[in-house]
Amino acid sequence: MFGIQEIFGMFPGARGFRRDYKCYSIAMLPHSNRPDVEKGGKIILPPSALHLLSQMNVQFPMLFKLKNTAKNTVTHCGVLEFIADEGLVYMPSWMMRNLLMNEGDLVTVESVNLPVASYSKFQPQSVDFLDISDPRAVLESTLRGVACLTVGDVIAIEYNSKIFELLVLETKPSNAVSIIECDMQVDFAAPVGYQEPVRAPKKAVAPVDEPMMIDADVLPDAQKFSAFTGSGSRLGGHKNKKGAAKDVSTPVVAGDPVKKQVDVASLGHKGVPNYDWKPGRLTFRRNIRKPTVSESDAGPSFSAFSGQGFSLKKTASGRV
């Protein structure tokens, strides 16, 4: 015999599926060890529920709203199988905690249509969640067994034999969405108890005084810069026989700080610029090395073709 709710569901145009069941956790399911159901977000209904749903215009996948009338708590889920005993429904323990239900409490199961999710935001309930190297991949693996998300629910995920809980803070486009075969953007809020690391205050850097610019004409002659002055040194440590280098710098012409009077004889020295150079003019200067030996020490002057000839083989007469 069907109750009044089942009779309404058998006729076209009747209201959707709605019925009260006694709720038990997956661990109470007889002769079954189903850890995959405990980690997922789907329930197990009796065969009579499948018979009623087949008579209705229910959209697939089948989604349901679970309501604890005594505590006024609501969540949403999908259905995995129809193998429960009549009048009973089995669900994951984390889903029962969201509904604030104990074993054997009455829960109302109602068929609903939910929009497809486009965005969701989660908040880890422990700082230990930050130890996971790739939290998005772990969450994606867990949500494959979940059909719906409801704002306010706490989802439990397992990683490295440890349970982590995530609070659903926000979902779009509504507070309850379907996540079956959807492209959803996921965001994470700071975990509960997380504190930003305190950064050490930056040390105040004392301002560096810029060097004072002083006009060269104001300085005394002893402090004025003179280029290419000083004595040379040899690698062997011997003193330069020719003495110190001559001062090739020239004073600045009064009234003209750019043009200088330069000794023409010093233009060939390396490092002395030609201040009289004009654009478009090339000047080639060659230093002619003076002979190091005097004519008196070198002997008689050279005369071309004045030497004596020799033959390789001489005859008796002395001719070649």
Side-chain angles (χ1 to χ4, degrees):
M1 295 295 294
F2 294 104
I4 188 66
Q5 295 180 352
E6 290 87 344
I7 295 176
F8 282 133
M10 294 181 181
F11 297 96
R15 59 182 179 178
F17 176 83
R18 179 186 176 95
R19 190 171 181 184
D20 295 334
Y21 294 97
K22 287 186 177 181
C23 176
Y24 291 95
S25 62
I26 297 297
M28 303 297 293
L29 185 65
H31 309 293
S32 179
N33 184 14
R34 304 292 297 273
D36 56 330
V37 183
E38 178 65 29
K39 297 178 181 178
K42 298 180 181 180
I43 61 176
I44 297 179
L45 292 172
S48 60
L50 176 61
H51 177 74
L52 293 175
L53 290 169
S54 62
Q55 304 297 324
M56 302 178 183
N57 295 327
V58 179
Q59 296 182 0
F60 290 88
M62 296 181 183
L63 302 178
F64 300 92
K65 180 174 73 172
L66 306 179
K67 183 177 182 180
N68 182 3
T69 306
K71 300 296 181 61
N72 195 23
T73 55
V74 176
T75 189
H76 298 79
C77 65
V79 59
L80 183 63
E81 294 176 350
F82 295 90
I83 59 173
D85 295 336
E86 293 297 330
L88 304 181
V89 60
Y90 296 93
M91 64 180 63
S93 57
W94 64 267
M95 192 175 296
M96 293 184 63
R97 289 194 297 269
N98 290 331
L99 293 172
L100 304 178
M101 299 186 64
N102 297 320
E103 303 286 348
D105 291 346
L106 287 179
V107 60
T108 302
V109 180
E110 181 181 355
S111 61
V112 292
N113 296 325
L114 299 178
V116 179
S118 60
Y119 173 81
S120 61
K121 186 175 183 179
F122 301 89
Q123 183 185 27
Q125 299 301 292
S126 174
V127 184
D128 297 338
F129 185 77
L130 300 177
D131 298 336
I132 301 177
S133 58
D134 193 353
R136 294 182 183 273
V138 176
L139 178 62
E140 180 181 358
S141 177
T142 302
L143 293 182
R144 290 175 182 174
V146 179
C148 306
L149 289 178
T150 307
V151 174
D153 282 356
V154 177
I155 298 177
I157 63 176
E158 183 178 357
Y159 179 75
N160 286 343
S161 301
K162 189 174 182 179
I163 302 298
F164 298 92
E165 293 184 342
L166 299 178
L167 173 64
V168 182
L169 288 180
E170 183 181 359
T171 57
K172 293 181 181 180
S174 65
N175 292 335
V177 293
S178 171
I179 60 173
I180 299 177
E181 297 181 357
C182 69
D183 186 9
M184 179 178 61
Q185 181 182 358
V186 178
D187 194 8
F188 290 96
V192 176
Y194 174 76
Q195 295 180 357
E196 291 288 342
V198 179
R199 298 181 180 179
K202 295 182 179 180
K203 297 182 179 179
V205 180
V208 180
D209 295 336
E210 296 183 357
M212 184 180 298
M213 304 301 294
I214 303 176
D215 191 359
D217 296 336
V218 180
L219 295 175
D221 296 339
Q223 298 182 6
K224 289 185 179 180
F225 172 74
S226 180
F228 305 105
T229 59
S231 60
S233 300
R234 303 181 65 178
L235 297 178
H238 303 285
K239 295 183 179 181
N240 193 354
K241 296 181 179 180
K242 297 182 180 180
K246 297 181 179 180
D247 186 6
V248 297
S249 62
T250 56
V252 179
V253 179
D256 189 356
V258 178
K259 189 174 181 181
K260 294 183 178 181
Q261 294 179 354
V262 182
D263 186 6
V264 179
S266 64
L267 291 178
H269 294 281
K270 184 178 180 180
V272 180
N274 183 6
Y275 293 99
D276 295 331
W277 177 84
K278 295 181 180 180
R281 185 180 67 178
L282 297 178
T283 303
F284 299 94
R285 302 184 183 277
R286 296 180 177 86
N287 297 329
I288 301 177
R289 184 178 297 177
K290 297 180 181 181
T292 57
V293 182
S294 62
E295 294 181 358
S296 60
D297 298 337
S301 60
F302 172 75
S303 178
F305 304 104
S306 60
Q308 182 181 357
F310 295 93
S311 62
L312 297 177
K313 184 177 181 182
K314 296 183 179 180
T315 59
S317 58
R319 297 179 180 179
V320 180

